[in-house]
Amino acid sequence: MAQPVFPTKGNLINTKKTLSLARNGYDLLDRKRSIIVREMMLLIDRAEELQHNIDRYYAEAYLALQRANVAHGFIDRLAESIPVEDGLALSSRSVMGVEIPLLTLDPQPAELSYGFIGTSMLVDEAYIKFGEVKRLTAELAEVENSIYRLAYAVKKTQKRANALRNIIIPRLTGDVKYITESLEEKEREEFSRLKVIKSKNPT
C-alpha cells in the first residue's frame, strides 16, 4: 500500500496538478480508443466484403482453370511461363499513433506471357481471373493486418485507461482529500492554540 503524501500546501498543489493531468490523460486515451475502434469497425466491414469477393473470384478462377485444363490438357507449362509477381509495395499510415500497413500491387496491363498457338480464350480467362484474385488477396492482407494492429492498440489503450481510471485517479483523489483534511485540521488546531494563548495573555 502506498504511503500517504506528507500534508503540505506544496504537495497539495502538486497532487492536484498530477490529478488534473491524469484526468486529461484518461479523456485523451478514451477518445483515442473510440477513434481506433471506429476505424477498426470500418476495416472489419471491408474485410468481410473482400473475403466474400475473393471466395467468388476463386470459385470463378478455378472453374475457368478447370475448363482450360479440359480443353487443352493440364496447362502446367503455360503456368510456368507466368512471371513471378514483384509489383508489391509496402508503406504505412498512422491512425492515432498506430502504424498500419499500406500494401499496394502495381496495376500491370494484362499482357499474356504465352503464345496463342495451343491456347484459347479459356486460358486467357483463367489468367485474368487469377490476376483479380491476386489483387484482392493483397488488399485483404493489408486490411486484416491493419485490423490486428488496431485491435492490439485498442487493448493496450484500454489497459492504460483502466489503470488511470481505477488506480491512479482514485489514489490521487484520495491523496488530495487526505492532504486537504490534514491541512484543515492543522489550521483548526493552530486557531485553537492561538485562541488559548490570546485568552491567557489579554492585551
Side-chain angles (χ1 to χ4, degrees):
M1 186 175 175
Q3 293 296 319
V5 181
F6 193 72
T8 65
K9 288 184 178 179
N11 281 342
L12 179 60
I13 291 167
N14 289 336
T15 305
K16 281 183 174 179
K17 282 181 182 176
T18 306
L19 177 58
S20 178
L21 286 172
R23 284 173 173 157
N24 287 338
Y26 173 76
D27 289 341
L28 288 172
L29 285 172
D30 192 51
R31 236 175 290 161
K32 175 181 178 178
R33 183 191 59 80
S34 297
I35 291 169
I36 293 173
V37 167
R38 188 166 62 244
E39 180 77 18
M40 193 171 66
M41 290 299 106
L42 292 172
L43 287 174
I44 287 172
D45 290 343
R46 179 65 182 142
E48 289 175 355
E49 181 188 349
L50 282 168
Q51 189 62 63
H52 174 74
N53 289 338
I54 283 176
D55 291 344
R56 181 167 59 86
Y57 271 97
Y58 258 119
E60 291 176 2
Y62 277 112
L63 182 58
L65 180 61
Q66 188 178 24
R67 285 173 179 164
N69 282 331
V70 168
H72 304 285
F74 287 107
I75 54 173
D76 299 17
R77 297 241 174 141
L78 286 175
E80 289 172 3
S81 71
I82 306 297
V84 174
E85 177 58 62
D86 61 356
L88 282 171
L90 180 63
S91 58
S92 64
R93 67 185 178 98
S94 179
V95 176
M96 296 300 292
V98 182
E99 293 295 317
I100 60 176
L102 289 174
L103 187 63
T104 54
L105 183 63
D106 291 339
Q108 298 291 336
E111 295 178 354
L112 303 179
S113 56
Y114 51 83
F116 295 111
I117 298 174
T119 65
S120 69
M121 64 178 294
L122 294 173
V123 176
D124 300 344
E125 184 183 357
Y127 175 73
I128 292 167
K129 293 282 185 187
F130 275 104
E132 186 62 21
V133 166
K134 178 175 64 176
R135 184 189 67 77
L136 289 170
T137 302
E139 190 175 350
L140 183 61
E142 173 195 310
V143 171
E144 287 187 339
N145 193 277
S146 298
I147 291 169
Y148 173 80
R149 292 190 183 197
L150 289 171
Y152 178 75
V154 167
K155 184 179 177 183
K156 194 163 73 169
T157 302
Q158 188 64 54
K159 190 175 179 182
R160 289 176 178 171
N162 288 343
L164 283 171
R165 183 183 62 190
N166 300 325
I167 299 170
I168 296 172
I169 290 175
R171 178 174 59 77
L172 291 170
T173 303
D175 287 347
V176 168
K177 184 173 183 249
Y178 167 74
I179 296 170
T180 302
E181 289 175 351
S182 296
L183 290 175
E184 286 173 355
E185 180 64 27
K186 197 172 179 181
E187 285 177 6
R188 282 194 294 271
E189 288 174 1
E190 185 67 19
F191 178 76
S192 298
R193 190 177 66 81
L194 289 172
K195 197 171 180 183
V196 168
I197 291 171
K198 190 172 182 181
S199 67
K200 288 182 178 179
N201 300 297
T203 54

